[in-house]
Amino acid sequence: MVKILDRYIFTETLKYFSLTLLVFLVLFFMIDFVSNIELGTKQGIMYVLYRIPLYLVRLIPIAVLISVITVLSNLSASRELTVIKALGISIYRVSVPILIFSALISLCSFSVNELVVPKTTYLSKEIKYKVKKKKNLKLLGNSIWFKNESNTFVFIGKLNPSSFIAEKISIFFLNKEFIPSKRIDAMYAKYIENGIWKLEKGFERELTKFETKSFKERKIKLGIDKKDLILKRIESDTINAFSLYKIIKQMERIGYDARNYLVDFYTKFSIPLLPIIVALIGIPLGVYNPRNRKGYTLWVAVGLTVLMWIIISFFINLGKSGVLPPIYAAFAPQVMFLAVGLWLLARTDT
């Protein structure tokens, strides 16, 4: 009998999860398409289609939460839950198929986030780069980091996207053993042509000989032109965790502050944990549905999801600003909501 019950609860949770996820995906597809209609019909559709895996990862937690609360609310409303408890089956035992389901969904979420989202996000941004040529330069922003083919790393503190004049530029030259051998710093740098940049007001340091020379102007071939600079800018959402980790280690080895990327790296592991956490929260909330109020499931799910993403975004910003350690900023919200879920579950009448 228990196996039949497990199968029933698992199937019902999967059914409501799939339906909820489909509804939200269609809704977000329409909203995003209308918001980007200036890309054109064909390009706009392709742009939104490439972003579906990203929507999927973001919507999975709310779909899990709604499905868990709905299934248990239905059992409670039909008095089936009372009968199940009368047979000696506790709420904890009833929750087993739900937790197994949420764990599988969490694993799927991580897989999609690692294997699919980076590629499709890159393709979606590439569409915007091509259609909005002027706007893509603005995406360069501040604190740009890139590497050319000769083991040379370049950091730009600030770049004017219209004139391509850089401020506070540092160039690190690495030998075959990937050890820094020379460093050039300049207050200003201007792109000339064919990957050549003109440096102004700077100095060069030979790290192996401990020698420093200053200069007023110097031309240097970095092998990076405007197009390469745009495409090679490091964007955490377009690379997987393993690749991002390698980049972070390279940055730290030559003294670059990789705090922002560390937060993004840990977030790639913390976000997929949300389905399990919201399931733990949804179980006691589904069991307790006061007077079977209609709309209870939706309002609770939406309210919790909004609160959750606000807190997660807040902690991520604290981590990137240096207020909190990166790993704490990425995992603290999940630990907080996990504690809430376990507390609610412990207070549930089993």
Side-chain angles (χ1 to χ4, degrees):
M1 178 180 176
V2 175
K3 291 184 178 180
I4 297 175
L5 180 63
D6 288 343
R7 193 182 306 115
Y8 172 75
I9 293 176
F10 189 94
T11 304
E12 287 294 296
T13 306
L14 177 61
K15 180 180 72 175
Y16 283 108
F17 169 81
S18 302
L19 180 61
T20 304
L21 192 61
L22 180 61
V23 170
F24 277 108
L25 280 176
V26 172
L27 180 62
F28 274 78
F29 181 93
M30 298 302 298
I31 293 174
D32 205 14
F33 176 72
V34 173
S35 301
N36 294 277
I37 193 66
E38 69 273 11
L39 296 176
T41 304
K42 182 179 179 180
Q43 296 293 337
I45 291 176
M46 291 303 300
Y47 173 78
V48 179
L49 285 175
Y50 283 137
R51 285 170 62 84
I52 283 181
L54 182 62
Y55 299 152
L56 194 65
V57 174
R58 296 294 185 265
L59 292 173
I60 279 176
I62 187 173
V64 169
L65 183 59
I66 290 178
S67 62
V68 170
I69 296 178
T70 302
V71 169
L72 292 176
S73 293
N74 290 342
L75 290 176
S76 179
S78 61
R79 300 288 187 264
E80 291 176 275
L81 202 58
T82 303
V83 175
I84 291 172
K85 290 194 291 184
L87 293 173
I89 303 174
S90 67
I91 296 298
Y92 296 145
R93 181 60 185 83
V94 172
S95 304
V96 170
I98 292 176
L99 294 176
I100 292 175
F101 173 81
S102 62
L104 292 174
I105 293 298
S106 181
L107 182 61
C108 291
S109 177
F110 177 77
S111 300
V112 172
N113 200 38
E114 279 297 288
L115 302 177
V116 182
V117 171
K119 296 179 181 178
T120 55
T121 301
Y122 177 84
L123 291 173
S124 68
K125 290 188 176 184
E126 196 174 45
I127 290 176
K128 273 203 170 183
Y129 289 165
K130 292 179 179 179
V131 176
K132 299 183 175 182
K133 293 182 179 179
K134 292 183 179 179
K135 289 189 177 181
N136 76 8
L137 295 178
K138 295 181 181 178
L139 293 174
L140 292 168
N142 298 333
S143 300
I144 303 165
W145 183 269
F146 59 88
K147 171 186 176 296
N148 64 17
E149 297 177 353
S150 59
N151 270 1
T152 301
F153 288 83
V154 181
F155 169 74
I156 296 176
K158 185 176 181 181
L159 179 69
N160 187 320
S162 58
S163 62
F164 259 77
I165 296 178
E167 298 181 17
K168 296 181 179 179
I169 180 171
S170 298
I171 308 168
F172 302 87
F173 299 86
L174 279 66
N175 57 24
K176 294 181 179 180
E177 289 74 30
F178 213 74
I179 299 175
S181 59
K182 183 171 66 173
R183 172 173 176 171
I184 297 177
D185 294 274
M187 289 297 296
Y188 304 99
K190 183 176 182 180
Y191 177 78
I192 301 177
E193 59 181 356
N194 299 325
I196 298 176
W197 293 70
K198 183 175 75 172
L199 308 180
E200 299 178 2
K201 298 181 180 179
F203 55 90
E204 175 182 333
R205 286 185 286 183
E206 290 286 348
L207 301 180
T208 56
K209 300 178 181 179
F210 300 100
E211 296 179 355
T212 302
K213 298 178 181 179
S214 61
F215 59 86
K216 292 183 178 180
E217 288 187 3
R218 172 181 295 185
K219 290 183 180 180
I220 183 171
K221 187 175 179 64
L222 296 178
I224 302 291
D225 59 23
K226 294 182 179 180
K227 182 179 179 181
D228 293 329
L229 186 56
I230 295 170
L231 295 178
K232 291 187 178 180
R233 175 178 179 250
I234 297 173
E235 295 177 326
S236 301
D237 54 352
T238 61
I239 50 181
N240 58 37
F242 178 73
S243 300
L244 183 58
Y245 181 77
K246 288 176 63 178
I247 292 172
I248 290 171
K249 287 303 177 183
Q250 291 173 356
M251 290 180 175
E252 291 179 337
R253 189 167 186 175
I254 56 180
Y256 177 70
D257 184 5
R259 183 189 304 115
N260 287 4
Y261 299 113
L262 271 172
V263 175
D264 292 335
F265 171 73
Y266 290 122
T267 302
K268 288 179 179 290
F269 294 93
S270 64
I271 294 298
L273 294 176
L274 288 177
I276 299 175
I277 295 171
V278 297
L280 285 171
I281 296 176
I283 290 168
L285 293 178
V287 173
Y288 174 74
N289 186 347
R291 301 178 183 178
N292 295 324
R293 292 178 183 175
K294 296 181 178 180
Y296 167 82
T297 299
L298 182 61
W299 284 112
V300 170
V302 170
L304 275 173
T305 304
V306 171
L307 177 63
M308 186 177 296
W309 282 115
I310 289 175
I311 293 177
I312 289 174
S313 299
F314 176 70
F315 271 80
I316 288 176
N317 289 331
L318 289 180
K320 291 187 175 182
S321 63
V323 177
L324 295 176
I327 190 170
Y328 185 85
F331 284 97
Q334 279 77 355
V335 173
M336 290 169 55
F337 282 101
L338 177 62
V340 171
L342 293 174
W343 179 77
L344 290 174
L345 194 60
R347 293 177 60 87
T348 302
D349 183 13
T350 59

